[in-house]
Amino acid sequence: MMPSDTHKIVIHTDSTLVGVHVRRFNAPTVDEVVIIIIGDQFQTRDIVLHRRNEQLTKVAERHRYYDALQYPILFWDGADGYNFSFKMVNTVNGEETNKKCSSMNYYSYRLMVRENEDNHILKCRQLFHQYIVDM
C-alpha cells in the first residue's frame, strides 16, 4: 500500500467557502486524469485500483492486464499484454516451442506492420509514441 492510501480528494461543486474567491476551488471541466510519478526511472509503475468495495488492488507493471489498464484507449477490449509465460512459436509449423517469448519479441510483434491487416495502435499518434517508450 502507498502511504497516502487513506486519503481521497473530493470536490463538491455546489459548495463555496465564505470569503474565498468564487473560482478558487473550481470543479474539473474535463474528464481527464493526470498522474504525477515521483522517483527515478527505475522504480515500478504499478497501478493501484480503488475498488467500489473500498479495497485497493495493486496491478504490477508485469501483469498481463497492465497494458489494458494503462492504455484503455488502445486496448478498449481488455486485450492481454505481455506475460512471462508466453512461449515462442515455430514459424514453419506454427507449433509452440519450449523457449519463452521475450517482451521485446512480443512488443515487436504487436507493433509490426502487416500486409492486409489493420493495426490500430499505429494510428494513435502521440499515444502510440508514449506506448512505444513505455514498453
Side-chain angles (χ1 to χ4, degrees):
M1 275 204 328
M2 298 175 64
S4 62
D5 285 344
T6 59
H7 298 84
K8 285 185 184 179
I9 297 175
V10 178
I11 300 174
H12 296 286
T13 58
D14 57 346
S15 62
T16 55
L17 300 174
V18 177
V20 176
H21 191 273
V22 228
R23 288 186 287 278
R24 182 169 177 197
F25 297 108
N26 283 355
T29 57
V30 293
D31 293 330
E32 295 178 356
V33 176
V34 176
I35 299 173
I36 300 173
I37 300 174
I38 300 171
D40 64 21
Q41 63 181 348
F42 299 109
Q43 289 182 323
T44 60
R45 299 174 300 147
D46 300 341
I47 296 173
V48 178
L49 301 174
H50 184 245
R51 304 181 85 157
R52 289 185 177 142
N53 63 3
E54 299 299 320
Q55 290 186 344
L56 299 173
T57 303
K58 187 175 179 180
V59 179
E61 63 182 327
R62 41 183 201 281
H63 194 280
R64 67 182 188 177
Y65 296 139
Y66 183 84
D67 291 2
L69 289 169
Q70 182 69 9
Y71 296 97
I73 295 172
L74 294 179
F75 305 106
W76 70 90
D77 58 351
D80 289 350
Y82 175 72
N83 191 317
F84 291 114
S85 64
F86 286 156
K87 302 282 186 178
M88 295 291 286
V89 174
N90 187 330
T91 55
V92 176
N93 59 16
E95 292 181 12
E96 193 175 270
T97 65
N98 288 335
K99 187 177 178 184
K100 290 195 175 192
C101 179
S102 70
S103 62
M104 184 178 77
N105 285 340
Y106 174 80
Y107 289 110
S108 297
Y109 176 81
R110 291 286 302 209
L111 300 173
M112 190 177 297
V113 176
R114 295 183 189 84
E115 218 174 285
N116 300 324
E117 280 189 43
D118 194 25
N119 190 347
H120 72 280
I121 296 174
L122 303 175
K123 297 178 180 180
C124 292
R125 298 183 184 161
Q126 293 165 335
L127 187 59
F128 166 65
H129 295 172
Q130 181 181 338
Y131 177 71
I132 290 174
V133 170
D134 281 353
M135 297 312 139

